[in-house]
């Protein structure tokens, strides 16, 4: 088994309950919704976010139904945001599969995402935990805020590193933080433990997103998207930001001209991706990712050494070493 499978094995029984409860929560007599939900559930991915909820709960105490309902709420909120993002970005493929909007059209995709958001709210309501409800509401706002901020910045070719980190904090890091927070809340953790687990989750989220951004500079079928896909969408990420900041003026002007004109021919995409690699952008992104990895692990220092703490450390290792 690989690293993520070993981590999930620790909460295999709880993940099985998560799966059954998730499927039950999405039941509908609407044939279109049944088709969309079934299609999404066929490829539910690594389940890293629900696993984080469950492992965090185990670190503090035991997994109860509040943890299960909270994990489902966050997973559905995340899935709905991806469905809506694909509509906004005119994306027709996700992780090597046809996107919902390409298969059923934008109207069905948006409404299916809305349905999942409603189910997410009903799931968190089942916890009868006001702090969990506040956390889910918070992350829903941040995901939308981050997406709008990213849309705004696609109009510019000179995104700063601070702006980049603000976007990925809202779109990715905060979601991981809330996953660990919800797990801790469900198990009755004290404020200090909740705070440390949230910071751990946030740093883990940075690692995860930076790794995703690095993938965009290498052509690998396992990744499920073509090289330069982010650039084609007008998304300027950390490798290119660093490379541009450390390039000569003529090269900066050439690349910024391509970005402003949105002249994304295969030749230009290759030129930009090769430039980001050769000018140290990918190497720099890896260095920052390692910094966040170390910060995440440091946040776990106050917890008892056990298999669940080790699993959280392994989650960070997985985030920075994964191949897709």
């Amino acid at each position: 088994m690989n690293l993520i499978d070993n981590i999930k094995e620790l909460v295999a029984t709880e993940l099985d309950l998560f799966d059954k409860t998730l499927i039950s929560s999405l039941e509908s007599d609407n044939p279109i919704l049944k088709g969309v939900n079934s299609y999404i559930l066929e490829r539910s991915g690594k389940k890293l976010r629900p696993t984080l909820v469950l492992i965090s709960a185990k670190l503090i105490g035991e997994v109860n139904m509040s943890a299960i309902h909270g994990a489902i709420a966050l997973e559905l909120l995340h899935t709905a945001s991806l469905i809506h993002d694909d509509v906004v970005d005119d994306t027709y493929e996700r992780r090597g599969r046809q996107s919902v909007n390409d298969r059923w059209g934008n109207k069905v995709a948006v409404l299916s995402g809305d349905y999942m958001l409603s189910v997410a709210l009903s799931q968190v309501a089942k916890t009868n935990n006001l702090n969990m409800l506040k956390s889910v509401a918070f992350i829903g706002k941040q995901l939308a805020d981050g997406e709008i901020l990213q849309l705004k910045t696609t109009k510019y070719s000179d995104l700063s590193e601070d702006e980049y980190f603000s976007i990925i904090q809202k779109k990715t890091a905060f979601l991981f933080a809330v996953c660990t927070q919800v797990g801790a809340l469900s198990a009755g953790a004290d404020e200090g433990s909740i705070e440390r687990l949230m910071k751990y989750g946030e740093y883990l989220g940075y690692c995860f997103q930076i790794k995703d951004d690095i993938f965009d500079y290498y052509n690998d079928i396992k990744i499920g998207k073509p090289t330069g896909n982010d650039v084609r969408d007008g998304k300027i990420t950390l490798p290119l930001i660093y490379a541009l900041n450390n390039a000569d003026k003529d090269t900066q002007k050439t690349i910024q001209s391509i970005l402003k004109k949105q002249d994304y021919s295969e030749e230009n995409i290759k030129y930009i991706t090769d430039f980001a690699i050769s000018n140290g952008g990918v190497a720099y992104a890896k260095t920052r990712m390692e910094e966040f990895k170390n910060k995440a692990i440091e946040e776990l220092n106050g917890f008892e050494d056990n298999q669940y703490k080790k699993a959280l450390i392994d989650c960070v290792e997985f985030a920075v070493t994964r191949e897709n």
Side-chain angles (χ1 to χ4, degrees):
M1 291 191 293
N2 61 28
L3 197 55
I4 189 64
D5 288 334
N6 288 332
I7 295 166
K8 287 160 61 177
E9 188 64 26
L10 280 177
V11 286
T13 301
E14 291 83 359
L15 278 173
D16 185 54
L17 179 58
F18 166 86
D19 287 335
K20 290 175 180 176
T21 311
L22 174 62
I23 291 168
S24 175
S25 74
L26 289 172
E27 285 181 354
S28 171
D29 57 6
N30 183 315
I32 297 176
L33 273 175
K34 286 173 71 174
V36 173
N37 293 340
S38 176
Y39 183 71
I40 290 169
L41 291 172
E42 282 172 12
R43 287 283 298 275
S44 53
K46 305 176 188 73
K47 297 180 186 172
L48 181 58
R49 292 164 191 84
T51 298
L52 276 174
V53 175
L54 301 176
I55 293 287
S56 298
K58 283 279 195 178
L59 182 68
I60 302 299
E62 293 296 329
V63 170
N64 53 35
M65 284 309 297
S66 286
I68 298 296
H69 292 309
I72 290 171
L74 292 170
E75 184 71 357
L76 289 178
L77 189 63
H78 170 64
T79 303
S81 73
L82 295 181
I83 293 171
H84 286 163
D85 286 357
D86 286 344
V87 174
V88 171
D89 296 337
D90 293 320
T91 301
Y92 302 112
E93 184 178 299
R94 179 167 289 278
R95 297 298 180 186
R97 295 181 84 213
Q98 194 177 11
S99 63
V100 172
N101 53 300
D102 189 47
R103 183 159 177 164
W104 280 276
N106 285 345
K107 292 180 181 179
V108 169
V110 170
L111 294 171
S112 296
D114 290 346
Y115 180 80
M116 287 191 173
L117 288 172
S118 299
V119 175
L121 291 174
S122 69
Q123 284 293 303
V124 75
K126 290 178 183 290
T127 69
N128 292 315
N129 187 316
L130 183 58
N131 286 329
M132 276 199 207
L133 180 59
K134 288 179 179 178
S135 295
V136 172
F138 167 79
I139 199 58
K141 288 168 58 180
Q142 295 303 315
L143 289 171
D145 188 350
E147 183 64 22
I148 292 170
L149 184 59
Q150 188 166 65
L151 282 175
K152 172 181 174 288
T153 57
T154 57
K155 297 178 181 179
Y156 307 101
S157 59
D158 54 350
L159 183 69
S160 72
E161 192 169 319
D162 285 344
E163 288 170 322
Y164 164 81
F165 277 112
S166 179
I167 291 169
I168 70 169
Q169 182 185 52
K170 293 173 183 293
K171 290 195 65 179
T172 305
F174 278 155
L175 177 57
F176 280 78
V178 170
C179 285
T180 49
Q181 179 192 27
V182 163
L185 284 169
S186 72
D190 61 76
E191 287 297 324
S193 296
I194 292 170
E195 182 66 25
R196 290 198 300 276
L197 279 170
M198 286 184 70
K199 292 304 295 182
Y200 158 85
E202 183 176 349
Y203 294 138
L204 170 62
Y206 285 127
C207 291
F208 203 87
Q209 186 59 57
I210 293 171
K211 184 69 170 184
D212 259 3
D213 295 340
I214 290 170
F215 282 148
D216 200 53
Y217 291 86
Y218 297 97
N219 197 5
D220 190 330
I221 195 169
K222 289 184 290 187
I223 296 170
K225 66 176 184 177
T227 304
N229 206 47
D230 287 340
V231 176
R232 286 185 187 88
D233 291 339
K235 297 173 183 175
I236 312 303
T237 58
L238 189 57
L240 185 54
I241 291 169
Y242 178 86
L244 277 171
N245 285 341
N246 291 276
D248 61 77
K249 294 297 182 183
D250 288 341
T251 304
Q252 284 181 353
K253 288 179 181 178
T254 298
I255 291 178
Q256 287 174 344
S257 175
I258 292 170
L259 296 173
K260 286 176 181 177
K261 294 177 182 177
Q262 299 183 340
D263 184 10
Y264 301 138
S265 65
E266 289 304 313
E267 181 182 358
N268 283 341
I269 292 295
K270 187 177 187 310
Y271 174 71
I272 290 173
T273 54
D274 287 349
F275 159 77
I277 294 169
S278 63
N279 216 48
V282 170
Y284 175 74
K286 288 180 178 178
T287 298
R288 293 306 309 272
M289 185 172 63
E290 284 293 319
E291 290 174 6
F292 286 118
K293 168 191 157 182
N294 293 332
K295 286 183 177 182
I297 294 172
E298 284 175 13
E299 293 295 333
L300 299 175
N301 285 341
F303 294 99
E304 179 185 351
D305 290 335
N306 57 32
Q307 59 186 340
Y308 303 112
K309 177 178 174 178
K310 182 180 183 303
L312 291 176
I313 294 171
D314 287 345
C315 280
V316 189
E317 293 291 346
F318 167 74
V320 301
T321 61
R322 64 196 173 96
E323 296 181 350
N324 58 36

